[in-house]
Amino acid sequence: MKPRAVRCSFLGVFLTFLLPATVAYAAEPAVKSVAVLPLKAKNKASKDVSSVLDDLLLAAVQKHAAGIRVVGQGDVDAALGFEKTKQVVGCDALSCAAEIAGALGVDSIIYGSFSRLGKKYVLSLGWIDQRTTNSLGRASEAIGAEEDQLDAGVNMVVATLFGAPSTPVAAPTAAKPSAKAIDPMDLASWDQLSGTWYAKDGAIYGVGGHLGFKEMLTDYAFSATAELVSGPSTIVAWVSRFTHPQSSVAKPAGSADQGYGVNVAFGEAKVNVFRGVNNAWYGANPAWGNNWQSIQGIQPKTNRCTVEAAGPQHKMSCNGKLIYEFIDGTNPRGVVGLWVQSPQTVVRFTDIKLERR
């Protein structure tokens, strides 16, 4: 995961909001997939909070849209491309729904806006069936603007959007096993995305490449002990919110690997955290930029590190020491994973744990 050129785009869709909070539903055939578009900042609302709200919105939809495949902004960028995204910015939702949904291969769209109202934000959401352009739901609510109020507020509006008995969701499929039901020390619980991976003596071994967990987690703590067994020193990554075309979950069509990844250079005792879209990676921690950090306590052979995710918050500790903590909600969510850079180095992973938060 080396830093490359930054590529970003923003897709805005206007939605007229109603006060007080309103909800309306239409009885339509069940939908099986939904694209969550970035929110439009209106009425002097700060665009600085847009990425945070977008990330919280996607997480809330993933939480409440039971049985529905959910795709986010990373998929929009990958499917439409930068120039096409610029063309549809600002158009009304109905005229854009069919084109966007068709490009993403989904049958419904969730779009919305937020605006400043005194010390609060007004968050307005709409849900459209692309097949009929009929409204599947609307919700509008004033939510607290403080950092600790945004998550709860967005979750409340999305719950309202999906909460009516007539909400058209797809027929339930077999329930996905929880993190507790899937053993992260079982190699069968992982997608072997690249490189060579094998299980031996109760451990998982990696020789170059990526390993991705087979279940999408929203808020979690992901821990693993990595030990260099043979070969030259290498970079080992605890991959956070990672998407990949070969993954069995969270695979945006037509895109390369993307998300967030924490790189630990064992031989040099250095650490950096990157975010990327379509395999273009750049520094994610605002305090570090693209610069690697020399960290006391990083060992040349064995390190136990934990990455934690809660909404847009990112946190990491290694060998009991806090490495970083920052907020960034820019990139799409994905699965957790592991990465070994060198195909000449064997790395042994033990005591892998996934704790849902």
Side-chain angles (χ1 to χ4, degrees), residues 3-357:
R4 300 185 186 176
V6 178
R7 175 189 172 197
C8 60
S9 59
F10 185 86
L11 177 62
V13 183
F14 287 98
L15 171 68
T16 302
F17 62 84
L18 304 175
L19 287 176
T22 60
V23 183
Y25 297 91
E28 298 291 340
V31 298
K32 296 181 179 180
S33 54
V34 61
V36 182
L37 304 186
L39 295 167
K40 177 68 177 181
K42 298 175 64 177
N43 193 27
K44 299 181 180 180
S46 172
K47 293 184 179 181
D48 294 338
V49 77
S50 294
S51 61
V52 175
L53 286 176
D54 288 340
D55 194 70
L56 293 175
L57 174 60
L58 181 59
V61 172
Q62 289 170 333
K63 176 181 178 181
H64 291 282
I68 299 179
R69 179 172 65 91
V70 180
V71 298
Q73 183 179 357
D75 305 279
V76 176
D77 293 342
L80 299 183
F82 180 69
E83 292 301 323
K84 189 61 177 179
T85 298
K86 289 196 301 182
Q87 294 176 19
V88 299
V89 168
C91 66
D92 69 279
L94 289 175
S95 64
C96 295
E99 180 179 7
I100 296 172
L104 294 173
V106 298
D107 50 27
S108 67
I109 295 286
I110 289 177
Y111 63 98
S113 67
F114 69 99
S115 56
R116 191 80 185 197
L117 182 66
K119 296 183 178 181
K120 292 187 176 183
Y121 286 111
V122 175
L123 175 62
S124 300
L125 301 176
W127 187 11
I128 290 178
D129 188 331
Q130 177 268 336
R131 300 162 297 184
T132 63
T133 67
N134 290 336
S135 173
L136 299 176
R138 296 190 304 273
S140 182
E141 183 64 87
I143 63 176
E146 297 298 326
E147 182 178 310
D148 59 350
Q149 298 173 321
L150 288 177
D151 192 8
V154 172
N155 188 73
M156 175 184 63
V157 179
V158 173
T160 302
L161 188 68
F162 285 92
S166 60
T167 300
V169 298
T173 57
K176 290 184 178 180
S178 66
K180 293 182 179 179
I182 297 181
D183 181 7
M185 285 303 304
D186 183 355
L187 189 57
S189 300
W190 300 82
D191 287 318
Q192 300 183 46
L193 304 175
S194 59
T196 301
W197 298 85
Y198 60 93
K200 180 182 177 182
D201 300 329
I204 293 177
Y205 291 77
V207 188
H210 291 91
L211 195 68
F213 200 55
K214 287 185 176 180
E215 182 185 1
M216 171 77 79
L217 304 176
T218 302
D219 297 335
Y220 57 84
F222 169 43
S223 304
T225 298
E227 175 190 359
L228 298 185
V229 176
S230 63
S233 297
T234 188
I235 295 174
V236 177
W238 281 252
V239 185
S240 172
R241 297 172 175 172
F242 175 66
T243 61
H244 190 282
Q246 303 305 317
S247 176
S248 62
V249 293
K251 48 181 179 181
S255 70
D257 54 322
Q258 60 188 38
Y260 295 86
V262 182
N263 291 3
V264 181
F266 277 43
E268 302 178 59
K270 291 184 177 181
V271 176
N272 206 349
V273 54
F274 296 105
R275 66 183 184 185
V277 174
N278 292 339
N279 208 23
W281 296 89
Y282 50 98
N285 186 352
W288 293 359
N290 286 329
N291 301 315
W292 287 75
Q293 304 296 308
S294 296
I295 303 294
Q296 293 184 351
I298 297 297
Q299 303 301 314
K301 291 292 184 181
T302 304
N303 291 283
R304 179 166 185 78
C305 297
T306 300
V307 293
E308 299 179 59
Q313 296 180 328
H314 301 258
K315 182 179 180 180
M316 182 191 188
S317 60
C318 285
N319 306 321
K321 177 181 179 180
L322 179 66
I323 304 299
Y324 64 72
E325 188 171 13
F326 64 93
I327 295 177
D328 184 288
T330 305
N331 283 18
R333 292 174 182 267
V335 299
V336 300
L338 297 166
W339 178 62
V340 177
Q341 181 187 46
S342 173
Q344 287 79 44
T345 299
V346 178
V347 178
R348 181 174 184 260
F349 295 93
T350 55
D351 196 20
I352 303 174
K353 294 182 179 179
L354 282 168
E355 178 186 348
R356 188 185 299 275
R357 296 290 176 83

